[in-house]
Amino acid sequence: TAYLDQIGAARAESFNRRANASATESHGAARLDGALGLDLAVAIAMRHNKTLQVARLEMAKAEGRAWQSYADVLPNVSASGAYTRMGDILSYDFGGETMSVGSWNNYNAALTVGQPLFHGGASRSALDSAALGTLAAGELFRGASQGTIFAVSRAYYDVVLAQQLVKVNEDAFASVQGHFNDVRRKKQQGMASEFDVLRSSVEVSNSNTELVRQRNALNLARTSLFNLLGVSQESAVTLSDEPAFEEIKPDHDECVRQAFLNRPELIQAEIAVKLQKETVRAAGSTLWPQVDAFFSYNMSKPYTLAIGSSDWGGYWTAGVNMSVALFDGFIRRGKTIEAEAGLAQAEVQLAN
């Protein structure tokens, strides 16, 4: 309930910001004025389109995951320190002379280095998965960019066409309206019947209905274009480019070949198969021993290895750890089944 209240308050605040937006800005979007050509429209969309912004941020996320993957192969270094004040210390009485063991104030500092040596292929798999994830994010952005360019071009010319249709219907309405006025005058002069007036009136009504429909279609087309551009719906622009017919004669086989080589969706599907193979490899890595090297240097005051010392002292330790999972409660088996099913799924999607 608390979360729903917070979400409701956030949406209400967003609505208030939109309602109070200035004349040059609507809900955080800039307003456009003046002439707008297709090339400029595409350039604006490449910068402000929300879908592209999400795809661009997905690339940043992939870069972050790539940096994280290095943790599986590079050393990890940590430092720690502590201060302890004792409430009481151990003391002995030797013939009236008191001897204390320990110190009221204790200091400790440590530097620890760990280095993965062998994790059954999981480290290599993590690096490869991160690299593939970066490629996938790049292809996602490329596909989104191509889709945006196509959508903006189509929306731009939809507006141009809608404007032309509105103009045609305005002329048609003016024509039938003039004809209706002529018929009424003829009716007054006895040169037309009541039926002629009624028929002309119906034509005026039908023409007006079509004009309203085309104006609504123009408003919807403008809304769609401004939404794709990521700009304010209050923008007032004049589209300066007119559609031009250019005949092309594509070669079917060459088009298919180019699609197989360059379609972002197909490349993403290929990457998805490779990613799932890495997931299968990572799931099986727990069968192997996990080997790590370590080094630690510790300093303390009083020095813990020298009885009676009150000064700083240090010592180091180094070694290799190895662990083998004897029984993991079927986690590895479950992950393997899931990864293999995901691989088969990715292969089916690629073939499709």
Side-chain angles (χ1 to χ4, degrees):
T1 303
Y3 288 131
L4 290 176
D5 291 341
Q6 293 173 8
I7 293 171
R11 300 316 307 155
E13 181 182 356
S14 178
F15 172 77
N16 291 333
R17 285 199 306 268
R18 185 181 187 279
N20 297 327
S22 66
T24 58
E25 187 171 319
S26 174
H27 203 43
R31 171 174 171 158
L32 296 180
D33 292 287
L36 180 66
L38 178 58
D39 290 341
L40 179 58
V42 170
I44 292 172
M46 295 299 288
R47 181 170 182 178
H48 296 286
N49 181 269
K50 300 298 187 255
T51 301
L52 278 184
Q53 290 178 6
V54 171
R56 192 176 288 112
L57 291 172
E58 189 64 35
M59 293 177 64
K61 288 171 59 178
E63 181 183 0
R65 289 190 290 267
W67 280 104
Q68 294 176 46
S69 67
Y70 288 114
D72 292 323
V73 294
L74 294 178
N76 57 83
V77 183
S78 62
S80 62
Y83 164 75
T84 304
R85 172 69 180 182
M86 304 295 294
D88 197 5
I89 60 175
L90 184 63
S91 61
Y92 298 95
D93 186 5
F94 292 96
E97 182 177 351
T98 302
M99 180 178 179
S100 299
V101 179
S103 175
W104 295 101
N105 298 301
N106 297 269
Y107 304 88
N108 182 270
L111 177 69
T112 304
V113 180
Q115 172 63 60
L117 297 180
F118 179 73
H119 284 183
S123 299
R124 181 72 258 175
S125 179
L127 288 173
D128 292 343
S129 295
L132 289 169
T134 301
L135 288 176
E139 289 302 317
L140 176 66
F141 178 75
R142 189 168 71 91
S145 299
Q146 293 177 353
T148 298
I149 293 172
F150 174 75
V152 168
S153 301
R154 181 172 60 182
Y156 185 95
Y157 286 122
D158 282 346
V159 175
V160 172
L161 177 61
Q163 289 175 337
Q164 295 295 329
L165 290 175
V166 167
K167 186 177 183 303
V168 168
N169 280 272
E170 287 175 343
D171 293 342
F173 178 75
S175 176
V176 296
Q177 183 68 51
H179 177 67
F180 175 67
N181 294 334
D182 289 341
V183 171
R184 284 197 304 178
R185 284 192 294 270
K186 289 180 180 180
K187 172 67 170 58
Q188 294 171 355
Q189 299 171 2
M191 300 174 63
S193 66
E194 187 66 31
F195 177 76
D196 292 330
V197 174
L198 179 61
R199 181 173 58 186
S200 182
S201 175
V202 170
E203 291 176 352
V204 170
S205 178
N206 290 338
S207 180
N208 183 62
T209 300
E210 183 63 20
L211 176 58
V212 170
R213 191 179 73 84
Q214 292 299 335
R215 284 174 174 169
N216 288 337
L218 174 58
N219 290 333
L220 288 174
R222 281 177 176 159
T223 298
S224 177
L225 176 62
F226 292 154
N227 184 58
L228 286 169
L229 297 184
V231 300
S232 169
Q233 292 294 328
E234 304 300 324
S235 298
V237 298
T238 302
L239 304 189
S240 57
D241 288 345
E242 295 292 334
F245 175 73
E246 181 180 351
E247 184 178 5
I248 60 173
K249 296 181 179 179
D251 180 85
H252 176 268
D253 293 339
E254 178 61 18
C255 288
V256 171
R257 189 182 75 85
Q258 290 295 332
F260 267 78
L261 292 176
N262 299 311
R263 284 284 293 183
E265 296 86 349
L266 293 177
I267 297 176
Q268 289 179 58
E270 291 280 3
I271 293 173
V273 171
K274 293 183 179 298
L275 273 170
Q276 284 302 132
K277 288 181 178 179
E278 295 300 331
T279 304
V280 171
R281 184 167 70 164
S285 66
T286 55
L287 280 173
W288 296 87
Q290 312 294 301
V291 184
D292 299 272
F294 67 89
F295 172 84
S296 177
Y297 187 79
N298 294 268
M299 294 186 65
S300 61
K301 179 185 178 182
Y303 186 34
T304 55
L305 298 184
I307 299 176
S309 172
S310 60
D311 297 325
W312 283 95
Y315 65 94
W316 61 268
T317 58
V320 176
N321 288 327
M322 184 183 74
S323 64
V324 179
L326 300 179
F327 180 71
D328 59 6
F330 302 113
I331 292 178
R332 184 196 62 79
R333 178 174 175 79
K335 287 185 175 181
T336 301
I337 293 174
E338 180 184 10
E340 290 176 345
L343 174 58
Q345 186 181 51
E347 291 173 340
V348 170
Q349 290 174 339
L350 174 60
N352 190 39

